[in-house]
Amino acid sequence: MTATLPKLEDEQIGSIVRGGENKGIKTESFFVEEGVKEITIDWMSDSEFTEVTVKDPNGKEYTYAKDEKEETGVFEGSYHHTITVSAPEAGKWRVTGKGNKKESYLLNISLNSPLNEEFSLELANGDVKVKQEDVNISYKTTVSLNFYKMVKKEVKS
C-alpha cells in the first residue's frame, strides 16, 4: 500500500504537535528555520488558568494574547492559550505552561514557511520517504519524523 500526502498549498501551514500531562510546569521546545513568515503557538488545555510563555532563541519572552474557551466540537470545554509571532528568529524556541493543578494539554505550533511548499511525504509499506520538489533552495536542517503503525492484536478471554 502506498499513500502520498498532498503537497501543501500556499495558504496551508506546516505543524508541530505535542501533548501530554502537565503537573505544574511543562516546557516543550521546537526549532524554527530561517525564512519563516509567522508562527502561531496554541497551548490547548482543560485549565483556564494556565500561564503560557514562549521564549525565542535570544531569550525574548512572549505571553499569550488570546485565551478562548472551545464551545463546540471534539475539544469542547478546553481553553486555547494562543500566541502569534511574525518574522520569528531562527533557532530553538521554548514553550512553557504553568498551572496550579494537573492538566492535559495539546500543543499545536503552526509555521508559515517557504519550506512547506518544497517537500512532500510518501508512505509506502511502513516506510516514509521525504521528497524535495524540483526547486533550487539551499538549506541545512535535521528532520525528525514520528509515525505510528497500527498493530492488530487478538485478545483471548
Side-chain angles (χ1 to χ4, degrees):
M1 180 177 145
T2 301
T4 301
L5 298 178
K7 184 177 161 188
L8 293 172
E9 298 299 326
D10 291 342
E11 67 274 9
Q12 292 183 320
I13 309 280
S15 291
I16 299 168
V17 180
R18 309 256 170 77
E21 198 171 76
N22 179 9
K23 298 176 182 174
I25 298 177
K26 179 69 175 180
T27 300
E28 298 277 5
S29 61
F30 64 97
F31 288 88
V32 173
E33 72 269 7
E34 288 185 30
V36 172
K37 298 172 190 166
E38 182 180 82
I39 59 174
T40 299
I41 298 119
D42 180 16
W43 182 286
M44 183 173 43
S45 74
D46 56 0
S47 175
E48 179 180 11
F49 304 106
T50 303
E51 177 186 330
V52 178
T53 56
V54 177
K55 283 190 181 177
D56 73 11
N58 298 320
K60 181 178 178 183
E61 200 168 283
Y62 302 82
T63 55
Y64 62 91
K66 292 190 266 182
D67 184 8
E68 296 179 2
K69 185 175 183 179
E70 181 99 9
E71 298 295 339
T72 61
V74 177
F75 299 110
E76 183 176 352
S78 63
Y79 294 87
H80 293 268
H81 313 282
T82 307
I83 300 167
T84 298
V85 179
S86 296
E89 287 288 324
K92 186 175 183 177
W93 287 65
R94 289 178 177 76
V95 182
T96 302
K98 294 180 189 175
N100 55 5
K101 66 174 189 153
K102 187 168 101 172
E103 68 174 357
S104 297
Y105 74 96
L106 179 66
L107 174 63
N108 182 32
I109 303 154
S110 302
L111 298 99
N112 185 347
S113 170
L115 290 180
N116 294 348
E117 301 173 34
E118 310 305 334
F119 295 94
S120 63
L121 294 177
E122 183 177 297
L123 306 174
N125 301 321
D127 293 328
V128 177
K129 294 179 183 175
V130 178
K131 293 183 174 183
Q132 181 179 351
E133 300 299 323
D134 189 24
V135 292
N136 248 346
I137 61 170
S138 176
Y139 62 91
K140 180 180 177 183
T141 188
T142 301
V143 175
S144 176
L145 179 63
N146 297 317
F147 71 101
Y148 300 91
K149 194 189 257 187
M150 294 295 292
V151 178
K152 202 172 198 179
K153 203 173 191 183
E154 191 174 308
V155 178
K156 294 181 182 181
S157 50

